[in-house]
Amino acid sequence: MSRSAENFLLGMDRQELVSLLERAGEPPYRADQILKAVYQQRIDSIAAISTLPQQLRAKFLEDQLSIGLPKIENRFVSADGTIRYLIGFQDGQSVETVWMPEGDGGEAGDGTEAGEPSGNGSRPWDRATICVSSQVGCAVDCQFCLTALLGVKRNLTAGEIVGQVLAVLNDRHVSPPQDRVNLVFMGMGEPFLNYDNFMKAVRLLVGEVGIPESRMTVSTAGIVPRIHDFGKEPVRPKLAISLNASNDDVRSRLMPINRKWNLEMLIAAARDFPLRNRERITFEYVLLSGVNDEVVHAQQVAALLGGLRSKVNLIALNPGPGIDFFTPGTDRVSAFQSVLMKAGIPAFVRRPRGRDIYAACGQLKRTVEIATSPAQ
Ligand code: SAH
């Protein structure tokens, strides 16, 4: 039987908990006890919330309430320290969430499992990034992306978005804000096509889990009206835009969404976007050999972004089955980067993470094939 978000404490904010408690004849301070148990202690069963009176726990259970923490169904560890989690929800759907440790020992190869405390008691990483999914599948249909091949199954609830983070933090024994965790909403799905649930998740992650908004980045394929809304949010992650092409011809071919909101509209929205102190918009650019990786394309990107407070992250295509594009050589990637740099646009080459376990960008759809194969 499917259960809706109202059955789960995870995903509720303080106000929703206060009214739930009011209906149960309980004082509002119990909301704070629940918030702490769910979002900070990451307890996974109501029976185990020891700060609540026994009879209230029993009543919640009678009312078919549960916390609703999603389950880790599978884990794949890469040689570079990246861990790809398959995370399952109550209705049987699942998404992928990726853990990427950085810094001292973040790269595996010292014989210890990534993320486990090492012998001297210090952690083998000094910061880590969690890549979070926003939908089961995706409707945007970018031609180089494996998730697109799934189509969109459904939106995730706010609780399911937050739940991915909590499940991974539990598994890694990590506690923000003491531990430095960054979030990127760049997993499966288009966050701006699930805008309200995504934004509610952000508020819970900032306010209750304790991860600062400055350590979060959301990436959009370019849902222009939502970029405008996002700029008005009092609490919001940093913005990244998947550019991936330097002119409308190429972009419409690679990303059909460009036929609805073209480059002119997209760049206008970026120029309008109210940036905070020292903030920049990130433009992601997946390099596809012979398609969008010529010097002339780099010059067009430089012209598009001129005068914008921006930076460009270049990603050489992560290839995959069913994807009819090729990865350019490193010389092409460097040539593209230097055109941008010479034009005064900061440009970085992103190194792929977890390619051996299909955790790199665009590769998340391989879950089914890999999860059903016996080797791990
Ligand atoms: N829907 C959002 C977030 C998910 S995609 C968006 O489009 O931004 C996250 C990033 O992965 C995007 O910048 C996308 O262009 C990139 N990406 C997708 N498939 C890729 C592939 N095969 N190789 C490299 N990057 C890819």
Side-chain angles (χ1 to χ4, degrees), residues 144-145 186-187 189-191 219-221 242 244 284 286 315 317-318 361-362:
F144 46 81
C145 178
M186 299 186 183
E190 168 49 51
S219 176
T220 179
S242 294
N244 296 337
E284 297 144 291
V286 182
I315 319 157
L317 174 76
N318 290 306
C361 303

Side-chain angles (χ1 to χ4, degrees), residues 131-135 138 140 142-148 185-193 218-223 240-244 251 255 257 283-288 313-320 323 325 327 352 355 360-364:
C131 181
V132 182
S133 293
S134 56
Q135 298 180 305
C138 189
V140 178
C142 300
Q143 298 299 295
F144 46 81
C145 178
L146 283 161
T147 302
F185 299 95
M186 299 186 183
M188 296 167 73
E190 168 49 51
F192 283 6
L193 290 180
V218 62
S219 176
T220 179
I223 313 299
I241 295 177
S242 294
L243 185 63
N244 296 337
R251 196 165 192 272
M255 303 176 70
I257 194 102
F283 287 91
E284 297 144 291
Y285 196 100
V286 182
L287 289 157
L288 310 170
N313 279 346
L314 298 169
I315 319 157
L317 174 76
N318 290 306
I323 300 299
F325 296 101
T327 308
R355 254 193 199 173
C361 303
Q363 296 192 317
L364 294 178

Side-chain angles (χ1 to χ4, degrees), residues 29-42:
Y29 70 82
R30 299 236 177 268
D32 301 304
Q33 295 173 320
I34 296 176
L35 289 169
K36 186 162 182 229
V38 171
Y39 296 105
Q40 281 167 37
Q41 299 175 305
R42 307 188 295 254

Side-chain angles (χ1 to χ4, degrees), residues 324-359:
D324 295 330
F325 296 101
F326 298 96
T327 308
T330 48
D331 49 331
R332 304 271 291 190
V333 177
S334 312
F336 200 98
Q337 180 187 24
S338 47
V339 173
L340 293 176
M341 300 287 274
K342 281 193 191 116
I345 296 169
F348 303 88
V349 178
R350 304 308 301 228
R351 119 195 104 96
R353 297 292 307 258
R355 254 193 199 173
D356 55 339
I357 54 162
Y358 292 98

Side-chain angles (χ1 to χ4, degrees), residues 96 146-147 149-150 188 362-369:
E96 299 191 346
L146 283 161
T147 302
L149 301 176
L150 292 173
M188 296 167 73
Q363 296 192 317
L364 294 178
K365 120 106 185 160
R366 281 291 303 245
T367 307
V368 184
E369 291 98 304

